[in-house]
Amino acid sequence: MSRSKIVVFTGAGVSAESGLRTFRDMGGLWREYALEEVASPEGWRRRPDVVLSFYNERRRAVLDAKPNAAHLAIAALEAKFDVQIVTQNVDDLHERAGSTQILHVHGEILKARSTVNPRLVYPLSKPTIDLGDHCELGSQLRPHIVWFGESVQHLDVAAALFAAADKVLVIGTSLSVYPAAGLVHHAGDHAEKVLVAPEVDTLPPGYRFRCGTAVSVVPELVAEWFAKT
Ligand code: APR
């Protein structure tokens, strides 16, 4: 019998208990930084040095962080389920927790890319990207991050994965940035749909709300799913 398909859709909240900042909560990044300045092509054109230092600081925090119990529980699901992670996060905590099928729709902070050819992507050999770091074509390297106004990656594949899922688990996202947030509506009527967060403004239709933090809820939910197999 084929294994049940689970899509896990994560946002910054799943990494909050690993010490990484969210964007719109108290203490969130967009309460301290103007996103137009540090996460947009215009900001890059105006002050690439400011953009590079914003991501260099976030990258150092990622390198210091560790996967938390929610990341580990999600990875453990692969023992019994066909699991596909679709994440808005740019950290590598799902990878380090042991998950193997991960789509990053907003990019990856541990990679750099050419400013002239977005298909030229490079794993970083040092913790920072600095002015003067060039790609093989001789152009300045930039963070491999999808900035506001740029097209999201893997959206069609992600939508198809949601539509085929038997279970959809949404963790730690305010669902405020489209088109990624719209993915939750691609889940089928038949699928079990759960959203985990300490609070929620509007629950997507058909989703059950499990109130709490990722670390307090996800391991328990995963145990429930294992018990039913
Ligand atoms: N456990 C679970 N959820 C949490 C926790 C936690 N410990 N702490 C906060 N949350 C929830 C918040 O309630 C909120 O719903 O995580 C969500 C964080 O929302 P945002 O800060 O908006 O982060 P996210 O939804 O990932 O942002 C989406 O916006 O700026 C862009 O590209 C950026 O990918 C990001 C996108």
Side-chain angles (χ1 to χ4, degrees), residues 126-165:
K126 57 189 172 76
T128 60
I129 303 176
D130 304 299
L131 283 178
D133 289 351
H134 289 120
C135 76
E136 60 204 90
L137 302 176
S139 71
Q140 172 69 46
L141 284 177
R142 57 164 274 186
H144 180 47
I145 301 283
V146 177
W147 285 330
F148 286 92
E150 295 186 321
S151 49
V152 166
Q153 302 181 310
H154 315 301
L155 207 58
D156 295 347
V157 173
L161 289 163
F162 271 78

Side-chain angles (χ1 to χ4, degrees), residues 16 49 60 108 112 157 164-165 228-229:
D49 56 319
R60 281 191 200 94
E108 298 174 71
V157 173
K228 286 184 201 155
T229 56

Side-chain angles (χ1 to χ4, degrees), residues 9-18 20-26 28-30 35 39 55 58 68 70 87-90 105-106 145-148 171-178 180-181 195-201 212-218:
F9 183 52
T10 58
V14 80
S15 299
E17 286 153 289
S18 294
L20 297 183
R21 294 172 71 175
T22 63
F23 295 94
R24 296 170 183 83
D25 287 319
M26 289 307 292
L29 286 163
W30 298 150
L35 62 86
Y55 286 99
R58 287 183 63 196
N68 62 49
T87 186
Q88 300 170 91
N89 298 341
V90 295
V105 294
H106 288 165
I145 301 283
V146 177
W147 285 330
F148 286 92
I171 310 167
T173 176
S174 62
L175 296 176
S176 48
V177 174
Y178 286 79
L195 183 142
V196 175
E199 67 209 336
V200 66
D201 291 343
T213 70
V215 166
S216 68
V217 172
V218 174

Side-chain angles (χ1 to χ4, degrees), residues 80-101:
K80 293 229 171 151
F81 299 93
D82 175 359
V83 184
Q84 173 66 54
I85 294 175
V86 176
T87 186
Q88 300 170 91
N89 298 341
V90 295
D91 63 57
D92 66 336
L93 295 179
H94 284 305
E95 287 86 345
R96 280 196 267 152
S99 290
T100 60
Q101 305 302 317

